[in-house]
């Protein structure tokens, strides 16, 4: 009830964000200077000013050299590669690259402008992770990449025609896939096993999209020599739900339920990431109460995500008890989320500018009960498995990946921390107040399944630490959403009684939020790593482009390399430990 | 980022841990402890034995929709199309008609396709007339596809519908002092805390006090 | 009507006494039309012995469903919740979750079906032996949900016949359980005749 005193009968007189001034972030000057330095260092790149990251524009023929020099000067993590379509421009496609430097904790964005029938040289030689990203840009836009080893569609099916994310593609135009059209995959044999004794027949096995142990719809085709996997190829896109196209046909507010369904195990984190990206574009900040609630629920959802990952991974290895033991507190977490906003798994709880409704009065009590309840279950599961010889034989040394390979692929999150690299967005670029809490980033060595287990167990404990501190601080008083009628719906009490609130309400529903023209990128730490949202606004009520950087996309890309030389049970144990969520992978 | 990192040690199994049996025994101790705890505490089992026992969802639960009515029996809905515009799934179909006596619009046809609906609650947030609410009903399975499109006959509830079975409601919605859904609008005093459990929070946990 | 809550101090989830299945929604709320009407099949011409045998067979089939969760997306997580401690489908005997179509009879399609996986779903359905039943769970499987998009099948009844549709996004585990019990009810009452 204290929230009502903030609102008064005096109408809002601030500037409406529905202005046509383009979006210029507050720290643009800093990024401009850094961009100048980089441009001077690299030589033949132009610079785009007024962005929220140092942005360089390169010519398509130079892109390989530019990326190589950036890599040697410290930008070793290839975060993302995506495209944007500007059909009115001469060179309609913008192929964008984003790199991250671990030493200096900075990002850089590169743009390459290509026309309709032009092609870009492939950058898979520089960063291994760009293999699948380039396939995705080819699939969605039709931009070809010269020299790519395997340029074919990745997300849409084999008989799909056209390139869906182009602006002239009708969102509802479907193409049917017949059974005969399904691609037959022939995995390439890994060079290490080329000259293995060929007296035995090599079997090609399809771990198909409907499989108890592939979590969600993933397809892996392996060539076996006896029990050893000598070649593997994977296929994704079995849950491509066209999030990016749907976000162009819906308003900013309506995209929030779509973001829920990306990483459905930890849905609030996606909501928070998207809302904070749009809030950055609008130049507003959610009230501190909303930020506190967002932080607490993000950590609960992170716990839920890790519980699902560990639980289902252990089920695949045959240890069913842990699944029951872990899902019991998870139900209580979902009960807490349900008491806040009405839906258990896919809350759509955040709104742009804050939260939809305030938390109930017993939120902190229930959170405290949960924080007291969870360690018992986590301890039980840890005691059951971590010193168990059977479990250790199944996970020690299984599907290892070296730190250099992990960086080259673009790993982030627990899988990268299991290789020994302490990169966590919550420490590197803190948001929601994470820097004010006392917690640690767990790091393990080895990069194999055992290390990933260690990291996930410890991350759950660190999340519980953050939650306990958050509960001790209590919820800051105040409103849960900004007091700006161009961004948030006015409270119903005023809509029913006051004329101007009713008109603000109508305008919000019919015309939506109209952010200033511009582009922005915001990243949060999802359950799997860096979840980034790149939002382009053209001033209308629908976003022009929303790009989600899925953290498990590069991780699954590396999977086939991780399992060659191992056996099928190892492959299954490793797949569970990577926590591949198909909703996020196929966005 | 040297601060704030905890390096996890890979523990190699030594001695007795390398045998299979000690781990089996210690694991069984944990599971037998759970078994005995559950066996002697049958009342505290987490199982909700649906359908003999049902879960009480919170008062913000997003279940099936209802359209409320005014005191005189007319529906509150004025077919303004706010809900169908706000719906991300485009599952609400409205056809408006005009009432000659009062010059108010009312819905001649109001249909929600329950199979398309994603139960996000945006329609409830968008309604300016306090008309559409969501209840705590989740038992909606059907065996004939046509029954999924619910119309006015299934959505409209009589006036003075009790607050109890209701779920997601317009925030700061008009739950008046009597506890029934909706005041008549202008001039009606509204409760300041729309959800029943929005009582003043425990001051111990609420640092800083009310603003 | 005050809700009489059943106390369970270990859980933050409140619960109350419910009603048996088949009684429709609780009193005080509207039921969907036709809930209480059941079409009784015309059994003229069948002898007593065969109808009694059919009743026993139907009762057996309804009580021993083996689900195949064709779980693609978020609804699969809610299915996992239903199999877990709080909702526990094994109270009805349906916890024998077999991922092989040859060994199961209830196909629960949980999650979005996209055009790329549609042939796979059709193949799985074809591989299941009769009698088989299909439950479409969630908004995406029943009708495509809010994905009116270029890659999403707008409801699995484009591909396979469906017996029960469960709305919700995702349906709560008890909502899904209501759907499964409704299907079991129909089977036991003999309303679904399969080979």
């Amino acid at each position: 009830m204290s929230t009502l005193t903030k609102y008064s009968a005096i109408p809002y007189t601030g500037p409406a964000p529905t202005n046509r001034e383009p979006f210029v972030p507050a720290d643009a000057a800093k990024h401009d200077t850094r961009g100048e330095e980089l441009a001077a260092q690299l030589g033949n790149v132009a610079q785009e000013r007024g962005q929220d990251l140092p942005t360089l524009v390169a010519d398509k023929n130079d892109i390989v050299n530019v990326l190589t020099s950036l890599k040697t000067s410290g930008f070793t993590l290839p975060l993302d590669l995506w495209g944007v379509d500007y059909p009115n421009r001469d060179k309609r496609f913008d192929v964008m690259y984003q790199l991250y430097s671990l030493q200096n904790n900075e990002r850089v964005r590169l743009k390459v402008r290509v026309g309709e029938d032009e092609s870009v040289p492939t950058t898979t030689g520089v960063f291994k992770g760009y293999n699948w990203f380039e396939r995705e840009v080819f699939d969605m836009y039709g931009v070809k990449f010269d020299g790519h080893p395997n340029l074919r569609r990745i997300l849409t099916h084999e008989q799909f025609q056209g390139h869906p994310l182009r602006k002239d593609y009708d969102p509802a135009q479907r193409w049917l896939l017949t059974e005969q059209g399904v691609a037959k995959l022939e995995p390439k044999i890994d060079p290490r096993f080329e000259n293995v004794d060929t007296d035995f027949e090599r079997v090609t096995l399809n771990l198909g999209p409907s499989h108890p142990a592939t979590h969600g719809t993933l397809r892996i085709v392996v060539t076996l020599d006896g029990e050893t996997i000598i070649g593997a190829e994977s296929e994704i896109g079995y849950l491509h739900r066209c999030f990016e196209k749907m976000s162009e046909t819906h308003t900013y507010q309506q995209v929030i339920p779509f973001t829920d369904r990306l990483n459905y195990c930890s849905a609030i984190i996606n909501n928070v990431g998207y809302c904070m990206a749009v809030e950055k574009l609008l130049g507003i900040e959610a009230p501190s109460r909303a930020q506190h609630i967002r932080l607490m629920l993000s950590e609960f959802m992170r716990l839920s995500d890790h519980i699902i990952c560990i639980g289902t991974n252990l089920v695949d290895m045959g240890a069913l008890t842990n699944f029951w033991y872990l899902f019991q507190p998870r139900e209580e977490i979902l009960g807490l989320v349900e008491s806040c906003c009405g839906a258990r798994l896919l809350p759509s709880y955040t709104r742009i500018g804050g939260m939809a409704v305030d938390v109930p009065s017993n939120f902190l009590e229930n959170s405290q009960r949960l924080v007291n309840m969870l360690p018992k279950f986590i301890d039980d599961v840890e005691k059951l498995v971590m010193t168990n010889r059977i479990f250790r034989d199944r996970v020690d040394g299984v599907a290892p990946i070296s730190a250099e390979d992990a960086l080259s692929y673009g790993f982030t999150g627990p899988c990268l921390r299991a290789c020994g690299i302490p990169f966590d967005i919550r420490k590197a670029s803190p948001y929601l107040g994470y820097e004010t809490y006392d917690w640690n980033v767990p790091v393990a060595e080895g990069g194999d399944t055992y290390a990933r287990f260690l990291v996930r167990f410890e991350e759950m404990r660190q999340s519980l630490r953050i939650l306990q501190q958050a509960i001790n601080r209590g919820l800051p008083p105040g409103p849960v959403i900004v007091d700006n009628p161009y961004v948030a719906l006015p409270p119903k009490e005023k809509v029913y009684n006051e004329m101007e609130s009713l008109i603000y309400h109508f305008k919000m529903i019919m015309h939506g939020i109209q952010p200033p023209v511009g582009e922005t990128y915001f990243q949060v730490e999802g359950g799997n790593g860096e979840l980034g949202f790149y939002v382009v606004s053209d001033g209308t009520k629908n976003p022009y482009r929303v790009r989600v950087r899925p953290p498990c996309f590069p991780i699954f890309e590396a999977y086939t390399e991780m399992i060659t030389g191992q056996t099928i049970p190892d492959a299954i144990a490793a797949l569970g430990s990577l926590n591949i969520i198909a909703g996020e992978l196929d966005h | 980022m040297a601060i704030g990192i905890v390096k996890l040690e890979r523990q190699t199994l030594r001695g007795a841990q390398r045998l299979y049996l000690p781990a089996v025994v210690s694991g069984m101790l944990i599971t037998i402890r759970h078994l005995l705890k559950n066996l002697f505490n049958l009342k505290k089992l987490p199982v909700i034995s649906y359908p003999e026992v049902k879960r009480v969802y919170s008062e913000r639960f997003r279940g099936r929709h209802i359209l409320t009515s005014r005191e005189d029996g007319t529906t509150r809905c004025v077919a303004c199309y706010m809900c169908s515009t706000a719906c991300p799934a485009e599952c609400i179909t409205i056809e408006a008609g005009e009432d000659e006596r009062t010059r108010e619009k009312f819905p001649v046809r109001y249909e929600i396709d329950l199979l398309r609906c994603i139960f996000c609650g945006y329609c409830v947030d968008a309604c300016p007339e306090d008309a559409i609410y969501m209840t705590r009903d989740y038992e909606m399975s059907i065996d004939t596809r046509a029954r999924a499109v619910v119309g006015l006959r299934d959505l409209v509830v009589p006036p003075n519908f009790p607050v109890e079975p209701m779920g997601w409601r317009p925030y700061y919605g008009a739950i008046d002092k009597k506890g029934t859904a909706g005041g008549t609008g202008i001039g009606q005093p509204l409760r300041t805390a729309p959800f029943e459990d929005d009582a003043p929070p425990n001051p111990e946990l609420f640092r800083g006090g009310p603003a | 009507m005050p809700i009489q809550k059943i106390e369970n101090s270990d859980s933050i989830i409140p619960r109350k006494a419910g009603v048996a299945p088949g009684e429709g929604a609780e009193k005080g709320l509207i039921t969907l039309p036709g809930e209480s009407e059941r079409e009784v099949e015309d059994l003229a011409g069948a002898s007593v012995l065969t109808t009694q045998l059919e009743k026993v067979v139907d009762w057996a089939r309804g009580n021993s469903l083996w689900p195949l969760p064709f779980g693609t997306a978020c609804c699969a997580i809610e299915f996992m919740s239903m199999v877990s401690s709080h909702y526990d489908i094994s109270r009805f005997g349906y916890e024998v979750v077999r991922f092989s179509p040859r060994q199961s009879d209830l196909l629960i399609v949980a999650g979005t079906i996209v055009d790329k996986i549609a042939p796979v779903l059709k193949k799985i359905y074809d591989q299941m032996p009769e009698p088989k039943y299909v439950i479409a769970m969630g908004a995406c499987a029943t009708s495509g949900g809010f994905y009116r998009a270029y890659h999403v099948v707008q409801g699995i009844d484009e591909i396979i016949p469906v017996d029960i549709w469960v709305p919700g996004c995702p349906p709560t585990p008890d909502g899904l359980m209501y759907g499964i019990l409704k299907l079991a009810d129909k089977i036991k009452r003999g309303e679904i005749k399969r080979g």
Side-chain angles (χ1 to χ4, degrees):
Chain A
M1 14 195 238
S2 53
T3 60
L4 282 179
T5 53
K6 193 104 193 301
Y7 296 100
S8 63
I10 303 170
Y12 182 81
T13 52
T18 58
N19 50 47
R20 291 295 171 244
E21 299 275 335
F23 164 68
V24 177
D27 51 356
K30 182 176 72 154
H31 297 300
D32 282 346
T33 24
R34 182 66 183 132
E36 272 166 24
E37 287 170 33
L38 286 169
Q41 188 188 342
L42 291 165
N44 48 355
V45 289
Q47 195 204 355
E48 223 177 80
R49 302 185 157 273
Q51 301 283 344
D52 59 334
L53 289 177
T55 310
L56 307 167
V57 182
D59 186 49
K60 64 173 189 164
N61 297 317
D62 295 329
I63 188 68
V64 179
N65 295 334
V66 169
L67 283 179
T68 322
S69 13
L70 281 172
K71 186 174 178 185
T72 43
S73 61
F75 289 90
T76 47
L77 189 65
L79 277 179
D80 205 359
L81 204 181
W82 71 98
V84 192
D85 183 21
Y86 296 101
N88 299 330
R89 232 171 43 180
D90 192 28
K91 289 187 178 258
R92 71 186 281 196
F93 299 120
D94 245 1
V95 177
M96 310 183 63
Y97 300 74
Q98 192 178 76
L99 304 174
Y100 177 75
S101 159
L102 283 163
Q103 310 156 299
N104 308 335
N105 188 13
E106 58 172 348
R107 291 154 203 276
V108 67
R109 194 191 287 156
L110 280 158
K111 292 192 189 183
V112 174
R113 304 218 157 104
V114 271
E116 177 123 7
D117 291 316
E118 291 177 31
S119 60
V120 179
T122 188
T123 45
T124 43
V126 187
F127 294 112
K128 288 197 212 173
Y130 277 161
N131 189 322
W132 275 16
F133 284 106
E134 288 181 351
R135 278 176 70 184
E136 188 190 337
V137 174
F138 167 67
D139 189 2
M140 295 286 127
Y141 289 100
V143 176
K144 293 203 179 41
F145 291 86
D146 296 324
H148 193 279
N150 185 15
L151 193 68
R152 55 186 182 86
R153 288 185 181 274
I154 188 167
L155 291 179
T156 52
H157 58 77
E158 295 84 349
Q159 289 181 332
F160 199 90
Q161 293 168 34
H163 297 282
L165 277 179
R166 290 189 178 188
K167 287 291 174 181
D168 44 3
Y169 190 89
D170 176 19
Q173 168 68 52
R174 279 173 59 196
W175 306 91
L176 297 180
L177 175 67
T178 54
E179 275 201 46
Q180 294 77 24
V182 175
K184 290 205 175 353
L185 296 179
E186 296 276 342
K188 283 208 311 264
I189 314 275
D190 190 280
R192 291 177 286 163
F193 303 98
E194 268 297 331
N195 44 5
V196 172
D197 189 358
T198 49
D199 268 357
F200 294 106
E201 192 185 314
R202 287 173 175 172
V203 177
T204 307
L205 187 68
N206 188 22
L207 295 171
S210 168
H211 191 275
T214 60
H215 299 290
T217 48
L218 309 164
R219 180 178 174 205
I220 307 138
V221 182
V222 292
T223 306
L224 295 167
D225 177 44
E227 281 250 1
T228 326
I229 297 175
I230 53 176
E233 196 173 333
S234 52
E235 177 91 8
I236 63 172
Y238 291 99
L239 197 65
H240 177 57
R241 292 188 281 195
C242 335
F243 164 75
E244 298 177 349
K245 194 72 177 177
M246 289 287 102
S247 57
E248 292 173 17
T249 55
H250 288 81
T251 63
Y252 283 89
Q253 202 85 283
Q254 288 174 338
V255 174
I256 296 175
F258 285 99
T259 58
D260 258 336
R261 281 124 180 106
L262 285 171
N263 182 343
Y264 34 81
C265 300
S266 54
I268 295 238
I269 302 182
N270 310 328
N271 285 346
V272 166
Y274 172 73
C275 286
M276 290 186 79
V278 181
E279 284 163 17
K280 194 172 163 186
L281 198 56
L282 289 166
I284 61 176
E285 205 181 307
S288 51
R289 189 180 174 93
Q291 291 193 19
H292 200 257
I293 299 172
R294 281 179 178 179
L295 184 139
M296 285 183 71
L297 287 176
S298 291
E299 289 308 308
F300 272 120
M301 282 277 146
R302 193 184 312 280
L303 276 163
S304 169
D305 200 349
H306 288 326
I307 282 176
I308 296 182
C309 172
I310 293 180
T312 49
N313 195 4
L314 288 170
V315 168
D316 292 341
M317 290 195 259
L320 193 54
T321 319
N322 312 284
F323 181 78
W324 310 133
Y325 286 175
L326 283 172
F327 266 61
Q328 190 180 330
R330 182 178 170 263
E331 275 296 320
E332 307 283 336
I333 295 178
L334 294 182
L336 178 74
V337 175
E338 192 266 323
S339 74
C340 291
C341 67
R344 293 153 39 99
L345 193 67
L346 303 171
S348 311
Y349 187 22
T350 56
R351 297 282 186 265
I352 296 168
M355 314 297 277
V357 290
D358 203 351
V359 288
S361 49
N362 57 359
F363 178 71
L364 286 175
E365 284 168 46
N366 283 342
S367 309
Q368 184 63 62
R369 282 175 70 177
L370 280 181
V371 171
N372 295 341
M373 186 197 301
L374 271 159
K376 292 182 280 196
F377 290 98
I378 300 178
D379 285 339
D380 269 346
V381 171
E382 215 174 344
K383 276 192 229 143
L384 277 173
V385 292
M386 285 313 229
T387 46
N388 188 323
R389 171 87 195 267
I390 302 177
F391 173 76
R392 292 297 298 275
D393 282 347
R394 289 248 7 215
V395 295
D396 257 333
V398 165
I401 187 162
S402 63
E404 298 83 43
D405 272 343
L407 282 177
S408 181
Y409 271 106
F411 274 38
T412 48
C415 295
L416 186 65
R417 295 197 275 278
C419 298
I421 299 176
F423 174 46
D424 189 322
I425 306 285
R426 297 173 287 168
K427 290 275 192 198
S429 5
Y431 56 99
L432 291 182
Y434 274 108
E435 68 275 14
T436 56
Y437 290 89
D438 180 27
W439 62 284
N440 296 327
V441 173
V443 167
E445 296 287 335
D448 60 351
T449 309
Y450 178 59
R452 290 189 277 271
F453 261 100
L454 280 175
V455 168
R456 287 218 165 87
F457 270 115
E458 187 60 31
E459 262 191 33
M460 289 206 281
R461 297 215 160 84
Q462 296 296 329
S463 286
L464 285 170
R465 254 178 95 180
I466 299 177
L467 279 169
Q468 184 61 63
Q469 291 170 42
I471 294 172
N472 292 343
R473 290 187 196 187
L475 287 169
V480 286
I481 198 162
V482 284
D483 187 11
N484 185 337
Y486 297 99
V487 170
L489 289 175
K492 288 289 187 203
E493 202 185 46
K494 296 177 82 182
V495 172
Y496 295 154
N497 288 326
E498 286 178 22
M499 197 58 204
E500 68 254 344
S501 295
L502 185 64
I503 296 186
Y504 282 138
H505 177 97
F506 262 71
K507 191 163 193 309
M508 267 292 291
I509 301 285
M510 290 298 183
H511 294 167
I513 300 171
Q514 292 168 337
V517 176
E519 56 191 67
T520 185
Y521 180 80
F522 190 77
Q523 68 280 350
V524 293
E525 177 78 12
N528 283 338
E530 169 168 335
L531 175 68
F533 283 93
Y534 171 77
V535 180
V536 179
S537 157
D538 58 349
T540 61
K541 66 181 170 112
N542 293 349
Y544 188 80
R545 171 85 165 101
V546 174
R547 158 78 185 169
V548 58
R549 187 237 170 221
C552 49
F553 196 78
I555 295 176
F556 194 57
E557 207 180 333
Y559 179 63
T560 48
E561 192 181 302
M562 284 156 80
I563 61 170
T564 31
Q566 316 259 308
T567 56
I568 298 251
D570 292 339
I572 299 295
L575 184 57
S577 74
L578 300 175
N579 199 21
I580 307 294
I581 313 266
E584 190 176 58
L585 179 72
D586 294 337
H587 41 274
Chain B
M1 287 180 290
I3 48 160
I5 299 174
V6 54
K7 285 209 186 310
L8 298 169
E9 299 290 325
R10 299 173 65 100
Q11 292 161 350
T12 42
L13 297 178
R14 303 177 193 299
Q17 287 174 332
R18 292 188 62 78
L19 301 173
Y20 292 92
L21 275 183
V24 169
V25 169
S26 67
M28 299 260 336
L29 283 176
I30 294 177
T31 46
I32 291 177
R33 177 169 50 85
H34 273 258
L35 169 68
L36 292 175
K37 192 173 77 149
N38 287 342
L39 207 53
F40 294 117
N41 260 334
L42 285 175
K43 291 222 180 313
K44 287 217 192 145
L45 283 180
V47 181
I48 302 171
S49 318
Y50 185 87
E52 287 83 20
V53 176
K54 288 198 187 179
R55 176 176 172 159
V56 176
Y57 281 105
S58 71
E59 51 176 20
R60 293 154 203 252
F61 184 70
R62 308 203 291 246
R64 191 151 45 103
H65 320 74
I66 51 167
L67 287 173
T68 54
S69 305
R70 301 191 189 99
E71 296 276 340
D72 57 3
T74 53
T75 61
R76 272 214 185 89
C77 174
V78 291
C80 66
Y81 292 85
M82 293 272 104
C83 52
S84 61
T85 313
C87 176
E90 296 165 33
C91 64
I92 304 184
T93 322
I94 312 179
E95 208 178 286
E98 192 183 320
D99 188 350
E100 280 90 22
R101 289 169 301 139
T102 56
R103 286 268 173 262
E104 278 252 358
K105 271 168 75 180
F106 73 100
V108 168
R109 194 168 67 96
Y110 187 105
E111 285 171 355
I112 298 185
D113 185 353
L114 284 179
L115 295 183
R116 282 264 177 209
C117 179
I118 58 165
F119 297 90
C120 59
Y122 276 24
C123 49
V124 177
D125 291 340
C127 181
E129 290 297 317
D130 196 42
I132 185 167
Y133 280 63
M134 290 175 108
T135 58
R136 305 191 207 191
D137 185 27
Y138 50 85
E139 293 161 333
M140 294 178 275
S141 311
I142 46 164
D143 49 2
T144 317
R145 202 170 168 148
R147 292 202 191 132
V149 180
V150 286
L152 280 170
R153 214 173 64 148
D154 314 305
L155 289 170
V156 175
V157 295
N160 297 324
F161 193 71
V163 167
E164 227 188 34
M166 291 214 283
W168 188 254
R169 60 202 73 172
Y171 193 35
Y172 293 130
I175 309 282
D176 65 9
K177 282 198 270 217
K178 286 188 295 240
T180 52
T184 46
I186 298 175
Q188 180 87 0
L190 301 171
R191 252 178 61 166
T192 53
F195 294 105
E196 292 153 12
D197 62 358
D198 245 350
N202 183 352
E204 313 289 320
L205 298 171
F206 192 70
R207 292 271 181 78
Chain C
M1 322 154 257
I3 301 173
Q4 282 113 6
K5 300 206 178 166
I6 299 174
E7 279 308 309
N8 181 335
S9 55
D10 273 350
S11 170
I12 66 171
I13 297 171
R15 44 204 87 190
K16 64 173 182 196
V19 296
E23 299 211 359
E26 301 174 51
K27 300 197 192 77
L29 285 184
I30 309 281
T31 50
L32 289 176
E35 269 291 293
S36 45
E37 297 149 21
R38 307 215 181 269
E39 289 142 17
V40 182
E41 188 162 311
D42 186 356
L43 297 171
S47 73
V48 171
L49 201 57
T50 43
T51 46
Q52 288 298 88
L53 185 62
E54 275 171 19
K55 274 197 200 151
V56 172
V57 168
D58 288 335
W59 171 85
R61 280 179 181 165
N63 275 329
S64 64
L65 293 169
W66 283 21
L68 195 178
F70 195 86
T72 38
C74 350
C75 284
I77 311 287
E78 283 299 62
F79 180 84
M80 290 201 289
S81 279
M82 190 183 69
V83 196
S84 310
S85 331
H86 277 69
Y87 294 99
D88 205 5
I89 195 84
S90 66
R91 296 178 291 120
F92 305 102
Y94 303 147
E95 88 277 16
V96 185
V97 167
R98 292 281 178 255
F99 286 89
S100 164
R102 303 283 185 204
Q103 297 170 13
S104 50
D105 54 0
L106 172 62
L107 177 66
I108 300 182
V109 183
T112 320
I113 298 298
V114 294
D115 285 321
K116 197 164 185 180
I117 205 172
V120 176
L121 176 64
K122 182 88 176 72
K123 206 164 187 178
I124 298 272
Y125 178 76
D126 289 338
Q127 285 175 344
M128 285 169 73
E130 289 282 353
K132 53 190 173 186
Y133 314 97
V134 178
I135 290 184
M137 175 185 176
C140 298
T142 53
S143 66
F146 62 160
Y147 292 108
R148 294 175 197 258
Y150 52 82
H151 203 238
V152 176
V153 174
Q154 305 289 298
I156 59 171
D157 32 356
E158 284 186 20
I159 317 173
I160 56 182
V162 176
D163 289 307
I164 296 271
W165 287 263
V166 184
C169 194
T172 57
D174 19 17
L176 176 63
M177 218 184 271
Y178 177 73
I180 296 181
L181 292 175
K182 193 162 183 168
L183 177 71
D185 214 21
K186 285 186 72 165
I187 297 172
K188 285 186 245 188
R189 218 180 271 114
E191 290 167 20
I192 303 185
K193 289 278 164 241
R194 294 287 152 86

